[in-house]
Amino acid sequence: KKVFPDTLIMHYENFPEVANLLNLIGDTQKKFTINKIGLLVQQDFENPNLPYIKLHTEKGLEMGDQGISRENLEYTLDAIYDFEELFGMKVLDAEYKPISREVYVKTERNFIIWLDTALTVQEQYNKLKKASNKLNIYTEPLNYIDLRISSINGDRVIFKRK
């Protein structure tokens, strides 16, 4: 804000922390909290009230680095919160895979849902809802559900039972 003739008043706010980021480098792990725009803001700290996101990298991340791009962070958080809301099941963590552009969401029943970041979270979860008459995610012992595949005849839900 300008106050003429020679004063400039600045007000700034920090972006809120939105997730815990577990940076996995080989056999080691670093813990961070990540803010709304994807910057790492606290190291060796975790907030149990925030969701957990895993990220494998060849080189360890450092404070102030861009952990995940803002768009991919929003996508991953949408995947977590939408699943919990739509299916009433808690998510333990999500793993973001930047090279393959995928997100793996691990549920409280210990099965993983594979999502493709090129498709919307909503359209992939809608496929799972449509398949719910053949696949009961609440009672069947599952390893994973793959929602990434689309076919000519419609959407496919691929899954593996334990």
Side-chain angles (χ1 to χ4, degrees), residues 2-71:
K2 293 180 186 178
V3 180
F4 290 103
D6 59 359
T7 305
L8 181 64
I9 299 173
M10 295 177 60
H11 174 76
Y12 73 93
E13 296 179 18
N14 289 331
F15 289 101
E17 295 175 9
V18 294
N20 296 297
L21 182 77
L22 303 176
N23 180 215
L24 306 167
I25 315 108
D27 294 337
T28 61
Q29 169 179 292
K30 286 181 161 183
K31 295 179 184 178
F32 297 95
T33 54
I34 190 168
N35 70 11
K36 181 179 175 178
I37 61 170
L39 294 178
L40 305 176
V41 291
Q42 289 190 64
Q43 187 170 349
D44 299 327
F45 178 79
E46 59 186 280
N47 181 340
N49 298 320
L50 297 176
Y52 287 83
I53 300 173
K54 294 179 181 176
L55 177 67
H56 290 270
T57 59
E58 290 182 20
K59 181 182 167 214
L61 298 173
E62 299 296 330
M63 281 291 300
D65 285 352
Q66 179 83 30
I68 301 175
S69 71
R70 184 178 197 157
E71 297 79 23

Side-chain angles (χ1 to χ4, degrees), residues 3-4 19 23 30 40 44 47 49 53 62-63 67 74 81 83-84 87 95-97 110 113 122-123 141 147 157-158:
V3 180
F4 290 103
N23 180 215
K30 286 181 161 183
L40 305 176
D44 299 327
N47 181 340
N49 298 320
I53 300 173
E62 299 296 330
M63 281 291 300
E74 287 173 0
Y81 292 131
F83 182 82
E84 289 180 340
F87 298 99
E95 183 175 348
Y96 172 64
K97 298 195 171 266
N110 285 320
I113 299 171
Q122 194 62 43
E123 66 183 307
L147 300 175
V157 175
I158 298 170

